[in-house]
Amino acid sequence: MPSAPSTGATAPETAKTKLEVILGADGVSRLEQARVAVFGCGGVGSNCIEALARGGVGTIAIVDKDVVAPSNINRQAIAYHSTVGRRKIDVTQAMIADINPDCRVIARHAFVLAENIEELLAELEDACGGPLDYIVDAIDTVSTKLAIAKLAEERGLALISSMGGANKLHPECLRIADVHKTVNDSLSRIMRKECRKRGIKHLRVLYSCEEPMHLKAREGAARSERSDLGTASFMPPIMGQMIAGEVIRQISGVGVSSDTASALAMHDAAQRGVLGGRKGGSKKSS
């Protein structure tokens, strides 16, 4: 006699089904309750925001004064021919709503400046309904980055700051580290020096240890144009995704203590052909 068909209904998939598998219900819940601010909706910022929205962050505050330009299309999550000329915060807010309708978005069309960061932060916290769980600095201006870092350290706020991705082509060189332990990155070098002057002891950054390409400025271009700086289509998106990964891990509490150092060491050993006692190249396993 054949067995009766199962009456147990499979739970319908949702946008968070796969998140719960890897982060657990508690981790997803912590993300749903989290408040994250991202300063800058450019190449790094927009891609970071996309991943935060897909990761189930409950409240995202975004700040940017710019509009989408044609030159943004090569790297920004919000840049399409159809969005050129629109305010970045408007396009970003629409993107978040399409990904995660439950996410509450606090959008400010404003410049982030050293002079207004304290007031701006207070305004965002008030609009978010409480203190921020994490701040992402995805802007370019050194003075503002330093002001954010100083304020975050004074208040004990979790912060990660993006360093430079221009003239670099190898995302495998991207690393998350304290700014005082960075190498081969000109923006990190400036930030280290200025952090020491201001007594900023710690600043978590995403940077690339790759030696940048040295390019010539376009003939006739003004120095202020920085025509010697180019950006690969894949570098800022990967940087934004990596920063989002750090934020999600820290807030969810999952993967924070993973031993990635040993995994990377094993990879490096394998590339040198010395893993498992092999030297002078790899051999086929028996």
Side-chain angles (χ1 to χ4, degrees), residues 154-166:
E154 289 173 350
R155 295 191 180 181
L157 299 171
L159 165 69
I160 183 166
S161 181
S162 173
M163 297 292 103

Side-chain angles (χ1 to χ4, degrees), residues 6-244:
S6 173
T7 57
T10 302
E13 283 195 353
T14 71
K16 296 177 182 177
T17 298
K18 296 299 183 182
L19 292 174
E20 290 181 348
V21 172
I22 192 166
L23 300 177
D26 289 343
V28 171
S29 178
R30 283 189 284 270
L31 287 164
E32 289 173 341
Q33 297 169 36
R35 307 178 186 97
V36 178
V38 181
F39 295 132
C41 296
V44 175
S46 64
N47 285 283
C48 176
I49 291 165
E50 178 186 356
L52 293 175
R54 294 189 189 280
V57 173
T59 301
I60 302 176
I62 57 175
V63 186
D64 199 298
K65 183 69 172 179
D66 210 353
V67 298
V68 178
S71 61
N72 300 154
I73 293 174
N74 80 314
R75 66 195 183 280
Q76 297 185 11
I78 55 172
Y80 300 86
H81 289 284
S82 61
T83 62
V84 168
R86 293 176 57 189
R87 300 195 311 180
K88 288 185 177 180
I89 59 162
D90 295 336
V91 183
T92 304
Q93 187 164 11
M95 176 184 70
I96 296 171
D98 204 14
I99 293 170
N100 182 2
D102 295 329
C103 180
R104 185 162 60 117
V105 182
I106 310 299
R108 294 291 181 269
H109 186 61
F111 289 116
V112 185
L113 305 169
E115 297 77 20
N116 73 352
I117 185 59
E118 192 165 357
E119 179 183 350
L120 182 59
L121 187 60
E123 180 185 340
L124 292 178
E125 289 182 330
D126 183 62
C128 288
L132 296 168
D133 295 285
Y134 229 102
I135 298 171
V136 174
D137 160 23
I139 57 179
D140 300 323
T141 309
V142 172
S143 59
T144 307
K145 297 178 88 68
L146 289 163
I148 295 170
K150 182 70 172 176
L151 187 61
E153 186 165 272
E154 289 173 350
R155 295 191 180 181
L157 299 171
L159 165 69
I160 183 166
S161 181
S162 173
M163 297 292 103
N167 291 5
K168 299 194 176 187
L169 292 168
H170 293 275
E172 65 270 25
C173 293
L174 290 167
R175 292 290 185 271
I176 293 173
D178 189 282
V179 72
H180 298 290
K181 297 181 179 180
T182 55
V183 295
N184 279 353
D185 183 71
S186 58
L187 180 53
S188 296
R189 183 165 56 250
I190 295 168
M191 291 292 290
R192 284 199 308 271
K193 179 180 178 182
E194 296 301 322
C195 280
R196 285 194 291 267
K197 285 182 181 179
R198 291 162 173 76
I200 301 171
K201 296 181 179 179
H202 300 287
L203 173 59
R204 198 158 179 78
V205 302
L206 173 74
Y207 84 105
S208 170
C209 61
E210 175 188 353
E211 185 68 33
M213 299 175 66
H214 298 288
L215 306 174
K216 291 183 178 180
R218 189 178 68 253
E219 188 174 349
R223 183 175 177 81
S224 59
E225 289 184 50
R226 295 312 309 268
S227 61
D228 58 330
L229 295 181
T231 311
S233 62
F234 49 86
M235 282 296 288
I238 293 172
M239 293 173 72
Q241 295 276 335
M242 286 183 67
I243 289 175

